[in-house]
Amino acid sequence: MSEHILIVDDEKEIANLLEVYLQNDGFDVYKFYNGQDALQCIENEKIDLAVLDVMLPDIDGFKICQRIREKYFFPVIMLTAKGEDLDKIMGLTLGADDYITKPFNPLEVVARVKTQIRRYKRYNNEHVEEIKMNEYDIRGLVINKENHKCYLYQELLDLTPIEFDILWYLCKNQGKVVSSEELFEAVWKEKYIDNNNTVMAHIARLREKLKEPSRKPKFIKTVWGVGYQIEK
């Protein structure tokens, strides 16, 4: 799916030139010569990056950038007049991600657009991964480390801190068989001693709270002689 680029510049030759170069590189372009129409577009369309000229006939690029940052996080590149360092500082302060000084090579603009979109995508992916790492949803069993809550089919389970930590560790290692020794040392932070039934007792209580049938548990399965596993 092509990214949607917003171009706002009242110099039609520049806006048209950027549109051609970006379209030739596979981007979908929304082009406007004034700020008001651009703001309307932002409200109605999905925008992946905006290229804003500072000087516009109605609303300047700074105000548009400010309005964007009230609701959206997509990258913003400001187009500034040559030598206007104050414009660059102002734009970055208001949340712009980059600036390009006029006159410019349109190929440079395309390169900057690609760089900002790559950064934005990478950040979003890392953020999604971070959220995933804090929560697991396994066939109706949802456990969240951030708020320390666990739900079974949307019903909140009353787990002790130890029970939560055991379940979290098993979910984090979903698909892997975890030995009693590994589980004990990960949760209790102590050296495991042979014939320690502590893990077994807590697993039994956890299964009760998960309403697990003893012979065919749906979630925490025993791999005899090895340990416990939550299957993928």
Side-chain angles (χ1 to χ4, degrees), residues 201-213:
H202 279 83
I203 291 287
R205 282 200 292 274
L206 255 177
R207 283 173 170 159
E208 285 178 18
K209 292 182 179 182
L210 291 169
K211 302 178 175 66
E212 294 264 65

Side-chain angles (χ1 to χ4, degrees), residues 6-223:
L6 173 70
I7 298 172
V8 192
D9 198 318
D10 63 331
E11 294 184 64
K12 294 184 180 180
E13 297 83 0
I14 290 178
N16 295 343
L17 185 66
L18 287 178
E19 179 184 33
V20 169
Y21 272 81
L22 287 166
Q23 285 179 338
N24 286 344
D25 231 286
F27 294 106
D28 291 329
V29 176
Y30 297 102
K31 178 185 64 180
F32 299 97
Y33 307 124
N34 65 77
Q36 200 59 55
D37 290 343
L39 286 172
Q40 192 67 42
C41 174
I42 290 166
E43 290 295 324
N44 296 329
E45 306 292 342
K46 179 187 179 297
I47 303 298
D48 295 296
L49 181 144
V51 180
L52 309 176
D53 187 25
V54 171
M55 299 301 294
L56 294 168
D58 52 353
I59 307 171
D60 66 46
F62 296 138
K63 287 193 176 72
I64 297 174
C65 181
Q66 200 168 19
R67 292 276 293 276
I68 288 171
R69 285 294 171 255
E70 289 172 1
K71 293 175 66 176
Y72 306 102
F73 299 98
F74 57 77
V76 174
I77 297 176
M78 305 293 294
L79 301 179
T80 68
K82 186 176 182 181
E84 295 293 334
D85 290 335
L86 189 60
D87 284 353
K88 299 171 186 176
I89 294 168
M90 177 70 77
L92 294 171
T93 302
L94 291 172
D97 298 274
D98 198 1
Y99 61 84
I100 297 174
T101 302
K102 294 181 179 181
F104 51 74
N105 183 331
L107 290 173
E108 179 190 355
V109 178
V110 174
R112 300 274 195 102
V113 166
K114 289 180 177 178
T115 297
Q116 289 300 328
I117 286 179
R118 276 198 304 271
R119 286 178 181 168
Y120 181 59
K121 283 183 174 179
R122 187 169 66 242
Y123 169 80
N124 279 352
N125 289 339
E126 287 172 356
H127 185 60
V128 168
E129 285 304 313
E130 186 180 333
I131 291 171
K132 285 181 180 177
M133 285 172 62
N134 283 328
E135 182 174 284
Y136 293 97
D137 185 346
I138 302 171
R139 300 183 295 279
L141 174 66
V142 179
I143 184 167
N144 188 298
K145 193 173 186 180
E146 207 165 90
N147 59 28
H148 224 261
K149 289 184 178 179
C150 181
Y151 295 86
L152 179 62
Y153 309 127
Q154 300 183 334
E155 180 184 340
L156 182 63
L157 299 179
D158 182 22
L159 301 182
T160 66
I162 289 291
E163 289 166 351
F164 182 93
D165 288 348
I166 290 172
L167 190 56
W168 174 261
Y169 193 82
L170 290 171
C171 289
K172 188 173 75 170
N173 290 281
Q174 184 184 359
K176 174 187 170 185
V177 180
V178 179
S179 68
S180 295
E181 179 179 354
E182 179 183 345
L183 198 50
F184 183 85
E185 292 181 357
V187 173
W188 277 268
K189 313 294 184 189
E190 296 176 11
K191 188 67 180 172
Y192 181 79
I193 301 171
D194 287 344
N195 300 320
N196 188 333
N197 293 321
T198 305
V199 172
M200 187 187 300
H202 279 83
I203 291 287
R205 282 200 292 274
L206 255 177
R207 283 173 170 159
E208 285 178 18
K209 292 182 179 182
L210 291 169
K211 302 178 175 66
E212 294 264 65
S214 56
R215 291 188 176 276
K216 288 188 176 180
K218 182 177 180 182
F219 295 106
I220 305 175
K221 302 198 173 182
T222 300
V223 179

